[in-house]
Amino acid sequence: ADEEDAETIEAPVTGVVSRRAALAAGPAAAAAAAGASGAGAVDEVATWVQYDLNTGETLYDIDFDPQDPNHGFVVGARGLFYETKDGGKRWVSRSFANLSKGQDISYRFQAVTVNGPEVWIVGKPALLLHSKDGGASWKKVPVSRKLPGDPRLMKALAPGKAEMATSSGAVYLTENDGKNWKSIVKETVDATLNRVSSSGVQGASYYTGTLKEIKRTDDGRYLAVAQRGNFYLTFMPGENRWVPHNRVSARRIQSMGFRTTSNGDPWEGVWMSLNGGYVTNCTDPKYAEFDSNSKDIFKNASIRTGGIGIIDAAFRTQDEGWAVGGSGVIYTTKDGGKSWGFDSAGNDLPCNLYNVKFFKGGQVGYMIGNNGILLRKTFEAEPNAAAAAVPAAAPAADRRHFTDSGGGARPPSLVAAAAGRAVARPRIRRTQATATASTLLAGIGGGSSSSSRSTAT
């Protein structure tokens, strides 16, 4: 990577309100948009509220700072980058000017992670962006061409410390802001599978593919799905390699996730969705054991999707969970995932919903998808919920700059600019308000390289 100086520029604020948000549904919507800045105005709506980000691009990930639940980011296609400092009620559009250094490259931001002042963004083509001051300034962390796979997932752990997983099953840890990386997994997924191809894992023999999805819990457990969906893999802290597992039926795996609750209640297991709109659950820790039989420990859930695939699911409590999928479908469960019912909040949404997450101890939920769709809903705090009560951070100066890792002179090409304060407002639809030494991983130290990745669905 070239060593260049960073340049700071002004980030203009225009205060523009999205016309689509205010005018899409006539006077009632305009009134709602006008009042959205009022304290608690949106929170009073007991349904999923659609926020208009004034973009038609796909949204891939959303994350909030556990230390400051009011500070969060949304990332998506074509370098789409939004920030909120009031808990998701208002979103400000940001952009990196000339991020590709004059090359005709359109980056897709696929993942974002926030922990205090630490913010990481993962993009494609291979890209790592790092901020140490809550997003006020950024560094581009060089990624080695020798890296197994592409960066797909990041987890900010502490100041200067983060964990990264790639599309080939490699997992790395940095403790110096991405200057050096240490391998946690001792071999890539394809090396593991080709070594154990006689183990009976269907589709694992001579495997040279990638992972289409990878997820991580806060305590460092990993869950991944093979690109073709014919088996899944697990990786637990302290282990050296991924462990492959058969799928539960002839149907390919659409998606998987952990059954961890957002309100802090302990709960074991995973969920799995299959092609055709089927959903299965496992509450037995044997799902991560090499010799376990998936067909015996996964139980089918009762759900009627009409064949529409379930792309993601998340549990707010041990009983309550939400699932999203194609055509904007939304399903909810009140019995721990045994049965799922259709939720009409997604009716007429012109999109696929790809992600559902809960924050602030399960008190606030988000659903995101293509066509710039972002849905938000607030919930009453559970009696035993570990809700975070953190005071809001003082607003940072509206100024952004972009730097490469390392010192030296550099042209003023990489700069982060605000693309105008495109304030997202709730919209009313129908009768409800919806509204890494010098090279990343060139400086990898310790252990053999291995990579793991999670492609956006």
Side-chain angles (χ1 to χ4, degrees):
D2 295 333
E3 295 183 349
E4 304 166 340
D5 287 335
E7 180 182 351
T8 303
I9 65 169
E10 293 290 340
V13 178
T14 62
V16 177
V17 176
S18 167
R19 287 175 57 84
R20 232 178 353 142
L23 303 178
S37 60
V42 177
D43 293 346
E44 297 174 358
V45 182
T47 186
W48 288 96
V49 177
Q50 179 181 348
Y51 280 71
D52 193 321
L53 300 183
N54 197 26
T55 179
E57 302 296 340
T58 298
L59 309 181
Y60 286 113
D61 198 17
I62 182 171
D63 196 27
F64 279 79
D65 181 6
Q67 301 179 37
D68 177 11
N70 289 323
H71 190 204
F73 296 88
V74 167
V75 296
R78 298 182 182 275
L80 184 128
F81 174 34
Y82 286 88
E83 179 180 13
T84 181
K85 294 182 180 179
D86 63 359
K89 299 174 185 176
R90 295 162 57 92
W91 293 88
V92 178
S93 174
R94 300 297 184 198
S95 67
F96 294 106
N98 300 322
L99 179 61
S100 57
K101 293 185 177 180
Q103 300 178 9
D104 188 17
I105 300 177
S106 178
Y107 287 101
R108 180 174 68 188
F109 293 166
Q110 300 182 120
V112 59
T113 177
V114 191
N115 192 341
E118 297 286 313
V119 187
W120 292 81
I121 292 178
V122 178
K124 186 176 183 179
L127 176 72
L128 285 181
L129 302 178
H130 180 215
S131 174
K132 295 174 61 65
D133 51 15
S137 62
W138 295 83
K139 290 183 178 180
K140 182 178 181 181
V141 181
V143 179
S144 172
R145 295 181 179 179
K146 297 181 180 180
L147 177 69
D150 296 326
R152 297 301 298 172
L153 178 148
M154 289 290 299
K155 180 64 177 179
L157 302 175
K161 185 177 180 179
E163 205 166 279
M164 177 190 68
T166 76
S167 60
S168 295
V171 180
Y172 297 100
L173 176 69
T174 181
E175 296 181 306
N176 57 3
D177 300 318
K179 295 181 178 67
N180 300 95
W181 298 79
K182 178 181 178 180
S183 175
I184 297 177
V185 177
K186 302 308 178 184
E187 61 185 15
T188 57
V189 168
D190 54 353
T192 296
L193 293 173
N194 294 329
R195 179 173 53 79
V196 300
S197 60
S198 61
S199 64
V201 177
Q202 298 176 6
S205 181
Y206 301 107
Y207 176 82
T208 58
T210 58
L211 303 176
K212 73 172 183 177
E213 180 179 51
I214 182 169
K215 295 182 179 179
R216 182 190 187 277
T217 61
D218 290 339
D219 58 3
R221 292 174 292 157
Y222 282 87
L223 180 66
V225 178
Q227 183 66 52
R228 293 183 294 171
N230 49 349
F231 59 92
Y232 73 95
L233 307 100
T234 57
F235 175 72
M236 300 298 169
E239 295 183 353
N240 294 325
R241 300 172 179 85
W242 289 86
V243 178
H245 309 272
N246 282 315
R247 61 186 186 273
V248 300
S249 74
R251 293 182 179 274
R252 302 294 179 113
I253 301 173
Q254 172 84 42
S255 182
M256 289 189 71
F258 291 98
R259 290 166 60 92
T260 51
T261 60
S262 299
N263 71 340
D265 287 342
W267 205 24
E268 185 60 75
V270 296
W271 58 267
M272 178 191 299
S273 64
L274 307 173
N275 287 353
Y278 293 85
V279 175
T280 66
N281 296 285
C282 175
T283 57
D284 192 326
K286 290 182 179 180
Y287 75 87
E289 296 180 4
F290 179 71
D291 56 352
S292 62
N293 190 334
S294 301
K295 295 181 180 179
D296 295 336
I297 59 177
F298 279 83
K299 306 300 179 183
N300 290 330
S302 173
I303 183 171
R304 301 179 64 179
T305 66
I308 298 176
I310 298 300
I311 300 174
D312 194 25
F315 287 85
R316 196 175 73 86
T317 68
Q318 291 186 357
D319 296 323
E320 182 184 344
W322 293 80
V324 298
S327 301
V329 297
I330 301 174
Y331 292 86
T332 185
T333 178
K334 302 295 183 181
D335 57 10
K338 296 178 182 178
S339 61
W340 297 79
F342 180 76
D343 188 282
S344 61
N347 284 355
D348 303 328
L349 282 179
C351 73
N352 294 324
L353 293 173
Y354 297 133
N355 209 331
V356 54
K357 287 186 176 182
F358 295 96
F359 303 96
K360 201 175 181 180
Q363 295 183 48
V364 183
Y366 292 88
M367 296 177 179
I368 58 177
N370 61 352
N371 285 336
I373 297 296
L374 183 150
L375 305 179
R376 180 179 185 270
K377 178 178 171 66
T378 59
F379 301 82
E380 293 183 1
E382 296 294 323
N384 58 343
V390 183
D398 283 305
R399 183 182 297 269
R400 297 290 188 270
H401 69 269
F402 189 99
T403 66
D404 271 331
S405 295
R410 166 171 56 172
S413 57
L414 292 177
V415 294
R421 186 174 292 271
V423 180
R425 303 283 191 173
R427 63 190 297 184
I428 292 181
R429 191 166 43 82
R430 301 172 66 189
T431 60
Q432 296 178 329
T434 65
T436 111
S438 224
T439 62
L440 160 66
L441 310 171
I444 296 174
S448 60
S449 297
S450 63
S451 61
S452 148
R453 154 192 187 159
S454 147
T455 60
T457 307

